[in-house]
Amino acid sequence: MEQKRIVVKIGSSSLTNEQGEIDDEKVKDHLSAIAMLQKSGHEVILVSSGAVACGFKKLGYPSRPVTLKGKQAAAAVGQSLLVQKYTEIFAEHRITTAQILLTRTDFSKKDRYQNAYETFEELLERGILPIINENDTVSVQELTFGDNDMLSALVSGLVHADQLIILTDINGLYSDNPKRNPNAVHFDHLTEITDEMLGFATAEGSKVGTGGMQSKLLAAKTAFDLGVPVFIGRGEGERKLLAVLSGSGDGTYIEKEHAMVVPSKKQWISLFSAVAGRIYIDEGASEALLHKGKSLLPAGVYIVQGEFSTGDVVEVYKERQCIGRGEVLYDSTTLKKVMGKRSDEIDRNMVVVIHRDRFVSTGRM
Ligand code: GLU
């Protein structure tokens, strides 16, 4: 069997009970299936929720806390309990684990994003199983990944996963809520995620987790746009994840016919970078950038706004429309001096403003 890189995401309700404890039986079932995937030669990354859900009871709360400090403290307690449990069980399968706690702020810095990528590569190359969660205890509320569904999608993109498996209690997606509408139709395979689907998926989560089907669908769309095939569904037993890979999983497969993986640098530009300025380009330059796969040259730029340095990311506008984002090879002061000039009028080593490999059009963001 061809070796694949697989990201498995497991939600709080699939790992804990409503009293705020780890559910040993559920956890053992998931981990045996993950161990089976790894033994079959695949590389596996686990994105695990459940820190808040298994931490609040020991912290003295009767149910999942609603305050930020309550959640952050519960996550601090629960994360160590979870990892202790994972380390113990995976050790029985002779698998060494590594804990990685991420925040969105980590990803907004290009070097940190790149370092995270290198670390994943090193761990996977050495047969280690990375276990990821959001670093809830220090995450700033406005700057989180949203939920672990989205975190798993972004990680899948970063590591160029061959498959993202989002394990949940329901067997995938339906045309309507199957609990309320007996005529709801199950989707086995989807080749696109439309706005209409995002609209009818419910935002309701479980009592212990955060994301509902809507958040799964949004995450699936992100992974899908980054070129990663997604499975959302359920299963039991140690062969359940192998079943997903072989196409017989109990859930919904979401994949493009010809998926193209988006390079990490472009992912960073479109998803995480902070915008430092704006440049306006003319019709010809826009055509070259968007449709001819060419880089942007100074001759096509006619307005430079903001102060930026070489390597910063700027928005590119054609008249009033933002057509994309790219990493500039000029600082704003130099660019103002050379804009509008033909390449033979400026220093030969500095001709390109945005290289085509560092430009992402709005449609792809
Ligand atoms: N990071 C949270 C936790 O471990 C879960 C977030 C989510 O449910 O998506 O408790």
Side-chain angles (χ1 to χ4, degrees), residues 14-296:
S14 306
L15 294 165
T16 60
N17 58 33
E18 286 189 9
Q19 287 76 51
E21 298 153 336
I22 294 177
D23 184 323
D24 277 2
E25 218 171 292
K26 287 183 191 170
V27 169
K28 281 192 179 143
D29 188 79
H30 296 311
L31 302 202
S32 67
I34 290 173
M36 183 68 110
L37 267 190
Q38 225 204 29
K39 275 186 207 128
S40 311
H42 301 298
E43 291 176 336
V44 190
I45 293 177
L46 170 60
V47 177
S48 167
S49 302
V52 177
C54 80
F56 69 77
K57 188 179 177 192
K58 279 221 160 47
L59 191 64
Y61 279 90
S63 59
R64 189 180 167 94
V66 285
T67 60
L68 182 61
K69 65 178 183 185
K71 280 191 259 186
Q72 294 193 313
V77 175
Q79 181 65 24
S80 57
L81 294 173
L82 263 183
V83 165
Q84 185 184 10
K85 180 65 77 185
Y86 287 153
T87 310
E88 266 169 37
I89 300 178
F90 276 128
E92 288 167 20
H93 293 280
R94 299 184 182 283
I95 293 174
T96 305
T97 57
Q99 172 184 246
I100 303 188
L101 298 176
L102 296 168
T103 63
R104 196 165 187 123
T105 324
D106 293 329
F107 276 15
S108 67
K109 303 276 177 276
K110 208 184 334 178
D111 51 349
R112 291 206 213 168
Y113 182 74
Q114 181 64 25
N115 287 351
Y117 173 76
E118 306 281 350
T119 305
F120 281 123
E121 287 294 325
E122 172 75 0
L123 290 168
L124 292 172
E125 201 172 297
R126 292 178 175 272
I128 308 293
L129 194 139
I131 301 174
I132 303 174
N133 198 353
E134 178 148 12
N135 196 350
D136 295 304
T137 304
V138 298
S139 281
V140 187
Q141 208 167 13
E142 308 75 48
L143 245 182
T144 60
F145 289 103
D147 52 55
N148 276 10
D149 296 319
M150 187 52 80
L151 175 60
S152 69
L154 296 170
V155 166
S156 309
L158 171 68
V159 302
H160 305 303
D162 299 295
Q163 180 77 56
L164 166 62
I165 300 176
I166 299 182
L167 280 183
T168 179
D169 304 338
I170 306 167
N171 68 339
L173 304 168
Y174 286 81
S175 60
D176 198 354
N177 186 337
K179 286 187 196 143
R180 282 182 228 133
N181 178 357
N183 298 325
V185 179
H186 182 260
F187 296 121
D188 296 335
H189 271 99
L190 292 173
T191 50
E192 60 172 348
I193 297 172
T194 60
D195 289 346
E196 194 195 346
M197 285 172 182
L198 287 169
F200 65 58
T202 163
E204 265 166 58
S206 64
K207 287 204 181 97
V208 291
T210 55
M213 217 17 114
Q214 199 177 49
S215 89
K216 292 186 176 37
L217 214 48
L218 269 175
K221 182 160 172 29
T222 302
F224 179 87
D225 288 343
L226 295 174
V228 181
V230 184
F231 171 87
I232 301 177
R234 55 175 300 286
E236 259 169 47
E238 59 181 12
R239 302 198 69 82
K240 67 183 171 194
L241 295 174
L242 284 176
V244 171
L245 289 192
S246 66
S248 56
D250 186 10
T252 303
Y253 289 85
I254 308 165
E255 52 197 317
K256 287 185 192 166
E257 261 169 56
H258 305 287
M260 276 243 307
V261 176
V262 178
S264 309
K265 293 216 165 74
K266 287 202 176 193
Q267 291 187 36
W268 182 80
I269 290 169
S270 69
L271 294 166
F272 305 110
S273 64
V275 173
R278 207 181 253 197
I279 58 178
Y280 286 80
I281 66 172
D282 63 25
E283 176 77 43
S286 152
E287 180 64 20
L289 204 51
L290 290 178
H291 304 298
K292 296 191 182 144
K294 298 237 170 86
S295 300
L296 176 65

